[in-house]
Amino acid sequence: MKKKIVTLLIAGTLALSITACGGSGEDTSSADSTESTEETTEETNEAPAEEEPQYTQYEAGMYKVSADIPAGTYLITGDMGYVEVASDSSGQLESIIANDNYVNRTYLSVADGQYFKFDGVAIPEAEAPAYTSENGAYPEGKYLVGKDIPAGEYKISLTDGNVMGYGYIEVSSDASGTLNAIVANANIQGDTYQTVQNGQYLKLSGAEIKGQ
């Protein structure tokens, strides 16, 4: 009987040892599997990085239309700068078709064979993002009505800190920059109102729409 008891104890001990070892192995495998699943889940749930919108951009300089840059309408942006369209590269006053000094943003259209000169960055209007207004405010610049700014009536004021004491507003039918395109314009010394329609361009110089 003693021999039998000893045999049972040894068997029990071996069984316990085997169970303990087996349990340890199963726990480790389970933990590894859980961690692996969690890592996979985290990687799966991680949102893909958003790509920034890409636009065709032309750096400051002079371009020959069709040879260097396609004909069309362009949004030009920068803190401030100068834009010009000329019939040739002579640099003579007589060759200038349209020119302007701008603040923040402007639009200009160019045709085949013309020379396009600008400061800042030019983006094809069709690719350019619409201006995003903060609380209905529009600072100095030129805006395409129906894209950058809704059609309607706006109260326009002199910019804060305007040392000149006057501003200029202009509504044009296109972005040619020519006198024939001007629908309405005025020098202002205080608040005024202006109505604009889709497809027109509103230029604010020394003036702004303050919004809400």
mmCIF file of all heavy atoms in Angstrom, residues 72-106:
data_model
loop_
_atom_site.group_PDB
_atom_site.id
_atom_site.type_symbol
_atom_site.label_atom_id
_atom_site.label_comp_id
_atom_site.label_asym_id
_atom_site.label_seq_id
_atom_site.Cartn_x
_atom_site.Cartn_y
_atom_site.Cartn_z
ATOM 1 N N GLY A 72 -5.443 81.788 -69.871
ATOM 2 C CA GLY A 72 -6.538 81.581 -68.921
ATOM 3 C C GLY A 72 -6.538 82.621 -67.827
ATOM 4 O O GLY A 72 -5.825 83.632 -67.903
ATOM 5 N N THR A 73 -7.336 82.389 -66.810
ATOM 6 C CA THR A 73 -7.448 83.296 -65.670
ATOM 7 C C THR A 73 -6.694 82.710 -64.490
ATOM 8 O O THR A 73 -6.791 81.509 -64.212
ATOM 9 C CB THR A 73 -8.920 83.519 -65.289
ATOM 10 O OG1 THR A 73 -9.609 84.074 -66.409
ATOM 11 C CG2 THR A 73 -9.044 84.471 -64.099
ATOM 12 N N TYR A 74 -5.967 83.564 -63.782
ATOM 13 C CA TYR A 74 -5.138 83.121 -62.663
ATOM 14 C C TYR A 74 -5.456 83.903 -61.391
ATOM 15 O O TYR A 74 -5.754 85.101 -61.445
ATOM 16 C CB TYR A 74 -3.649 83.292 -62.995
ATOM 17 C CG TYR A 74 -3.170 82.320 -64.051
ATOM 18 C CD1 TYR A 74 -3.327 82.610 -65.409
ATOM 19 C CD2 TYR A 74 -2.600 81.101 -63.696
ATOM 20 C CE1 TYR A 74 -2.915 81.710 -66.381
ATOM 21 C CE2 TYR A 74 -2.176 80.198 -64.665
ATOM 22 C CZ TYR A 74 -2.339 80.506 -66.002
ATOM 23 O OH TYR A 74 -1.933 79.607 -66.956
ATOM 24 N N LEU A 75 -5.386 83.191 -60.272
ATOM 25 C CA LEU A 75 -5.425 83.825 -58.958
ATOM 26 C C LEU A 75 -3.985 84.059 -58.545
ATOM 27 O O LEU A 75 -3.181 83.117 -58.531
ATOM 28 C CB LEU A 75 -6.119 82.919 -57.943
ATOM 29 C CG LEU A 75 -5.975 83.331 -56.468
ATOM 30 C CD1 LEU A 75 -6.721 84.638 -56.193
ATOM 31 C CD2 LEU A 75 -6.491 82.233 -55.539
ATOM 32 N N ILE A 76 -3.653 85.302 -58.223
ATOM 33 C CA ILE A 76 -2.298 85.635 -57.765
ATOM 34 C C ILE A 76 -2.378 86.022 -56.307
ATOM 35 O O ILE A 76 -3.211 86.854 -55.916
ATOM 36 C CB ILE A 76 -1.684 86.789 -58.590
ATOM 37 C CG1 ILE A 76 -1.654 86.425 -60.088
ATOM 38 C CG2 ILE A 76 -0.278 87.090 -58.111
ATOM 39 C CD1 ILE A 76 -2.788 86.956 -60.880
ATOM 40 N N THR A 77 -1.549 85.399 -55.476
ATOM 41 C CA THR A 77 -1.587 85.679 -54.040
ATOM 42 C C THR A 77 -0.206 86.069 -53.512
ATOM 43 O O THR A 77 0.819 85.660 -54.048
ATOM 44 C CB THR A 77 -2.078 84.449 -53.251
ATOM 45 O OG1 THR A 77 -1.179 83.346 -53.466
ATOM 46 C CG2 THR A 77 -3.477 84.051 -53.684
ATOM 47 N N GLY A 78 -0.225 86.866 -52.461
ATOM 48 C CA GLY A 78 0.998 87.319 -51.806
ATOM 49 C C GLY A 78 0.625 88.413 -50.829
ATOM 50 O O GLY A 78 -0.513 88.897 -50.826
ATOM 51 N N ASP A 79 1.559 88.826 -50.002
ATOM 52 C CA ASP A 79 1.263 89.920 -49.061
ATOM 53 C C ASP A 79 0.889 91.185 -49.831
ATOM 54 O O ASP A 79 -0.066 91.877 -49.514
ATOM 55 C CB ASP A 79 2.465 90.183 -48.160
ATOM 56 C CG ASP A 79 2.713 89.039 -47.203
ATOM 57 O OD1 ASP A 79 1.765 88.290 -46.903
ATOM 58 O OD2 ASP A 79 3.863 88.886 -46.754
ATOM 59 N N MET A 80 1.683 91.485 -50.831
ATOM 60 C CA MET A 80 1.398 92.580 -51.765
ATOM 61 C C MET A 80 2.326 92.411 -52.955
ATOM 62 O O MET A 80 3.342 91.719 -52.873
ATOM 63 C CB MET A 80 1.595 93.960 -51.114
ATOM 64 C CG MET A 80 3.004 94.222 -50.605
ATOM 65 S SD MET A 80 3.201 95.883 -49.919
ATOM 66 C CE MET A 80 1.993 95.845 -48.595
ATOM 67 N N GLY A 81 1.958 93.015 -54.068
ATOM 68 C CA GLY A 81 2.811 92.854 -55.233
ATOM 69 C C GLY A 81 2.267 93.582 -56.443
ATOM 70 O O GLY A 81 1.294 94.342 -56.371
ATOM 71 N N TYR A 82 2.907 93.292 -57.580
ATOM 72 C CA TYR A 82 2.582 93.955 -58.846
ATOM 73 C C TYR A 82 2.280 92.888 -59.885
ATOM 74 O O TYR A 82 2.948 91.849 -59.944
ATOM 75 C CB TYR A 82 3.771 94.809 -59.295
ATOM 76 C CG TYR A 82 3.624 95.450 -60.660
ATOM 77 C CD1 TYR A 82 2.792 96.549 -60.854
ATOM 78 C CD2 TYR A 82 4.339 94.958 -61.755
ATOM 79 C CE1 TYR A 82 2.659 97.138 -62.105
ATOM 80 C CE2 TYR A 82 4.225 95.538 -63.010
ATOM 81 C CZ TYR A 82 3.387 96.631 -63.184
ATOM 82 O OH TYR A 82 3.256 97.224 -64.417
ATOM 83 N N VAL A 83 1.270 93.134 -60.713
ATOM 84 C CA VAL A 83 0.932 92.227 -61.817
ATOM 85 C C VAL A 83 0.847 93.044 -63.106
ATOM 86 O O VAL A 83 0.466 94.220 -63.085
ATOM 87 C CB VAL A 83 -0.390 91.481 -61.571
ATOM 88 C CG1 VAL A 83 -0.262 90.525 -60.397
ATOM 89 C CG2 VAL A 83 -1.545 92.452 -61.337
ATOM 90 N N GLU A 84 1.196 92.382 -64.210
ATOM 91 C CA GLU A 84 1.196 93.091 -65.493
ATOM 92 C C GLU A 84 0.990 92.112 -66.642
ATOM 93 O O GLU A 84 1.515 90.995 -66.625
ATOM 94 C CB GLU A 84 2.528 93.822 -65.683
ATOM 95 C CG GLU A 84 2.678 94.549 -67.000
ATOM 96 C CD GLU A 84 4.068 95.177 -67.151
ATOM 97 O OE1 GLU A 84 4.365 96.120 -66.384
ATOM 98 O OE2 GLU A 84 4.850 94.699 -68.005
ATOM 99 N N VAL A 85 0.221 92.543 -67.627
ATOM 100 C CA VAL A 85 0.068 91.809 -68.880
ATOM 101 C C VAL A 85 0.531 92.741 -69.992
ATOM 102 O O VAL A 85 0.079 93.890 -70.075
ATOM 103 C CB VAL A 85 -1.401 91.392 -69.132
ATOM 104 C CG1 VAL A 85 -1.509 90.639 -70.453
ATOM 105 C CG2 VAL A 85 -1.911 90.529 -67.996
ATOM 106 N N ALA A 86 1.448 92.238 -70.834
ATOM 107 C CA ALA A 86 1.990 93.071 -71.905
ATOM 108 C C ALA A 86 1.892 92.339 -73.241
ATOM 109 O O ALA A 86 1.846 91.111 -73.296
ATOM 110 C CB ALA A 86 3.437 93.439 -71.603
ATOM 111 N N SER A 87 1.885 93.122 -74.311
ATOM 112 C CA SER A 87 1.775 92.542 -75.650
ATOM 113 C C SER A 87 3.113 92.026 -76.157
ATOM 114 O O SER A 87 3.163 91.199 -77.075
ATOM 115 C CB SER A 87 1.222 93.580 -76.623
ATOM 116 O OG SER A 87 2.062 94.735 -76.643
ATOM 117 N N ASP A 88 4.212 92.521 -75.591
ATOM 118 C CA ASP A 88 5.547 92.068 -75.988
ATOM 119 C C ASP A 88 6.500 92.220 -74.808
ATOM 120 O O ASP A 88 6.087 92.608 -73.713
ATOM 121 C CB ASP A 88 6.052 92.838 -77.218
ATOM 122 C CG ASP A 88 6.068 94.361 -76.992
ATOM 123 O OD1 ASP A 88 6.548 94.792 -75.920
ATOM 124 O OD2 ASP A 88 5.610 95.105 -77.882
ATOM 125 N N SER A 89 7.759 91.918 -75.019
ATOM 126 C CA SER A 89 8.753 91.973 -73.933
ATOM 127 C C SER A 89 9.662 93.188 -74.052
ATOM 128 O O SER A 89 10.781 93.191 -73.522
ATOM 129 C CB SER A 89 9.600 90.685 -73.939
ATOM 130 O OG SER A 89 10.241 90.508 -75.198
ATOM 131 N N SER A 90 9.191 94.228 -74.722
ATOM 132 C CA SER A 90 10.011 95.432 -74.907
ATOM 133 C C SER A 90 10.186 96.217 -73.617
ATOM 134 O O SER A 90 11.142 96.977 -73.466
ATOM 135 C CB SER A 90 9.385 96.330 -75.985
ATOM 136 O OG SER A 90 8.138 96.850 -75.527
ATOM 137 N N GLY A 91 9.237 96.057 -72.695
ATOM 138 C CA GLY A 91 9.305 96.823 -71.451
ATOM 139 C C GLY A 91 8.802 98.241 -71.612
ATOM 140 O O GLY A 91 8.856 99.044 -70.659
ATOM 141 N N GLN A 92 8.298 98.571 -72.790
ATOM 142 C CA GLN A 92 7.805 99.916 -73.052
ATOM 143 C C GLN A 92 6.396 100.089 -72.493
ATOM 144 O O GLN A 92 5.605 99.144 -72.418
ATOM 145 C CB GLN A 92 7.784 100.188 -74.565
ATOM 146 C CG GLN A 92 9.146 100.119 -75.226
ATOM 147 C CD GLN A 92 10.086 101.187 -74.692
ATOM 148 O OE1 GLN A 92 9.715 102.368 -74.587
ATOM 149 N NE2 GLN A 92 11.308 100.784 -74.360
ATOM 150 N N LEU A 93 6.093 101.316 -72.109
ATOM 151 C CA LEU A 93 4.780 101.634 -71.559
ATOM 152 C C LEU A 93 3.669 101.285 -72.546
ATOM 153 O O LEU A 93 2.598 100.817 -72.147
ATOM 154 C CB LEU A 93 4.721 103.123 -71.194
ATOM 155 C CG LEU A 93 3.438 103.620 -70.526
ATOM 156 C CD1 LEU A 93 3.237 102.925 -69.173
ATOM 157 C CD2 LEU A 93 3.481 105.135 -70.329
ATOM 158 N N GLU A 94 3.947 101.469 -73.829
ATOM 159 C CA GLU A 94 2.928 101.230 -74.849
ATOM 160 C C GLU A 94 2.529 99.753 -74.956
ATOM 161 O O GLU A 94 1.459 99.426 -75.474
ATOM 162 C CB GLU A 94 3.425 101.722 -76.210
ATOM 163 C CG GLU A 94 3.580 103.228 -76.327
ATOM 164 C CD GLU A 94 4.847 103.746 -75.639
ATOM 165 O OE1 GLU A 94 5.699 102.908 -75.261
ATOM 166 O OE2 GLU A 94 4.958 104.969 -75.477
ATOM 167 N N SER A 95 3.388 98.865 -74.474
ATOM 168 C CA SER A 95 3.100 97.429 -74.606
ATOM 169 C C SER A 95 2.245 96.894 -73.459
ATOM 170 O O SER A 95 1.746 95.767 -73.526
ATOM 171 C CB SER A 95 4.407 96.634 -74.674
ATOM 172 O OG SER A 95 5.090 96.673 -73.425
ATOM 173 N N ILE A 96 2.041 97.697 -72.420
ATOM 174 C CA ILE A 96 1.259 97.241 -71.266
ATOM 175 C C ILE A 96 -0.230 97.227 -71.602
ATOM 176 O O ILE A 96 -0.801 98.233 -72.007
ATOM 177 C CB ILE A 96 1.509 98.133 -70.036
ATOM 178 C CG1 ILE A 96 2.964 98.040 -69.599
ATOM 179 C CG2 ILE A 96 0.585 97.715 -68.882
ATOM 180 C CD1 ILE A 96 3.329 98.951 -68.426
ATOM 181 N N ILE A 97 -0.823 96.054 -71.442
ATOM 182 C CA ILE A 97 -2.258 95.888 -71.684
ATOM 183 C C ILE A 97 -3.043 96.108 -70.391
ATOM 184 O O ILE A 97 -4.105 96.727 -70.394
ATOM 185 C CB ILE A 97 -2.548 94.478 -72.229
ATOM 186 C CG1 ILE A 97 -1.850 94.298 -73.577
ATOM 187 C CG2 ILE A 97 -4.052 94.227 -72.349
ATOM 188 C CD1 ILE A 97 -1.905 92.881 -74.108
ATOM 189 N N ALA A 98 -2.518 95.608 -69.295
ATOM 190 C CA ALA A 98 -3.158 95.772 -67.975
ATOM 191 C C ALA A 98 -2.092 95.628 -66.906
ATOM 192 O O ALA A 98 -1.157 94.831 -67.045
ATOM 193 C CB ALA A 98 -4.243 94.723 -67.773
ATOM 194 N N ASN A 99 -2.227 96.392 -65.850
ATOM 195 C CA ASN A 99 -1.309 96.256 -64.710
ATOM 196 C C ASN A 99 -1.993 96.752 -63.442
ATOM 197 O O ASN A 99 -2.974 97.488 -63.502
ATOM 198 C CB ASN A 99 0.011 96.993 -64.950
ATOM 199 C CG ASN A 99 -0.144 98.502 -64.995
ATOM 200 O OD1 ASN A 99 -1.231 99.025 -65.269
ATOM 201 N ND2 ASN A 99 0.935 99.217 -64.756
ATOM 202 N N ASP A 100 -1.468 96.329 -62.310
ATOM 203 C CA ASP A 100 -2.103 96.702 -61.042
ATOM 204 C C ASP A 100 -1.176 96.374 -59.885
ATOM 205 O O ASP A 100 -0.339 95.454 -59.977
ATOM 206 C CB ASP A 100 -3.419 95.942 -60.872
ATOM 207 C CG ASP A 100 -4.323 96.547 -59.810
ATOM 208 O OD1 ASP A 100 -4.066 97.699 -59.395
ATOM 209 O OD2 ASP A 100 -5.290 95.880 -59.402
ATOM 210 N N ASN A 101 -1.305 97.116 -58.806
ATOM 211 C CA ASN A 101 -0.698 96.760 -57.525
ATOM 212 C C ASN A 101 -1.784 96.093 -56.693
ATOM 213 O O ASN A 101 -2.923 96.557 -56.687
ATOM 214 C CB ASN A 101 -0.176 98.007 -56.797
ATOM 215 C CG ASN A 101 1.001 98.637 -57.508
ATOM 216 O OD1 ASN A 101 1.983 97.982 -57.798
ATOM 217 N ND2 ASN A 101 0.893 99.927 -57.818
ATOM 218 N N TYR A 102 -1.455 95.018 -56.020
ATOM 219 C CA TYR A 102 -2.473 94.297 -55.257
ATOM 220 C C TYR A 102 -2.001 94.032 -53.829
ATOM 221 O O TYR A 102 -0.809 94.069 -53.518
ATOM 222 C CB TYR A 102 -2.825 92.964 -55.951
ATOM 223 C CG TYR A 102 -1.786 91.880 -55.774
ATOM 224 C CD1 TYR A 102 -1.863 90.979 -54.714
ATOM 225 C CD2 TYR A 102 -0.721 91.755 -56.663
ATOM 226 C CE1 TYR A 102 -0.904 89.994 -54.536
ATOM 227 C CE2 TYR A 102 0.231 90.769 -56.497
ATOM 228 C CZ TYR A 102 0.134 89.886 -55.438
ATOM 229 O OH TYR A 102 1.095 88.910 -55.252
ATOM 230 N N VAL A 103 -2.976 93.754 -52.972
ATOM 231 C CA VAL A 103 -2.721 93.331 -51.597
ATOM 232 C C VAL A 103 -3.479 92.027 -51.378
ATOM 233 O O VAL A 103 -4.664 91.930 -51.710
ATOM 234 C CB VAL A 103 -3.194 94.392 -50.568
ATOM 235 C CG1 VAL A 103 -3.020 93.879 -49.141
ATOM 236 C CG2 VAL A 103 -2.445 95.700 -50.765
ATOM 237 N N ASN A 104 -2.795 91.033 -50.866
ATOM 238 C CA ASN A 104 -3.363 89.714 -50.531
ATOM 239 C C ASN A 104 -3.677 88.842 -51.747
ATOM 240 O O ASN A 104 -3.169 87.735 -51.862
ATOM 241 C CB ASN A 104 -4.618 89.843 -49.666
ATOM 242 C CG ASN A 104 -4.331 90.459 -48.313
ATOM 243 O OD1 ASN A 104 -3.289 90.212 -47.723
ATOM 244 N ND2 ASN A 104 -5.243 91.268 -47.811
ATOM 245 N N ARG A 105 -4.536 89.339 -52.643
ATOM 246 C CA ARG A 105 -4.963 88.477 -53.756
ATOM 247 C C ARG A 105 -5.560 89.293 -54.882
ATOM 248 O O ARG A 105 -6.145 90.362 -54.667
ATOM 249 C CB ARG A 105 -5.993 87.446 -53.263
ATOM 250 C CG ARG A 105 -7.269 88.087 -52.748
ATOM 251 C CD ARG A 105 -8.170 87.227 -51.885
ATOM 252 N NE ARG A 105 -8.118 85.827 -52.123
ATOM 253 C CZ ARG A 105 -8.906 85.145 -52.958
ATOM 254 N NH1 ARG A 105 -9.794 85.803 -53.680
ATOM 255 N NH2 ARG A 105 -8.814 83.846 -53.069
ATOM 256 N N THR A 106 -5.397 88.774 -56.101
ATOM 257 C CA THR A 106 -6.033 89.402 -57.249
ATOM 258 C C THR A 106 -6.224 88.351 -58.334
ATOM 259 O O THR A 106 -5.695 87.237 -58.241
ATOM 260 C CB THR A 106 -5.210 90.586 -57.792
ATOM 261 O OG1 THR A 106 -5.994 91.310 -58.748
ATOM 262 C CG2 THR A 106 -3.923 90.128 -58.450
#
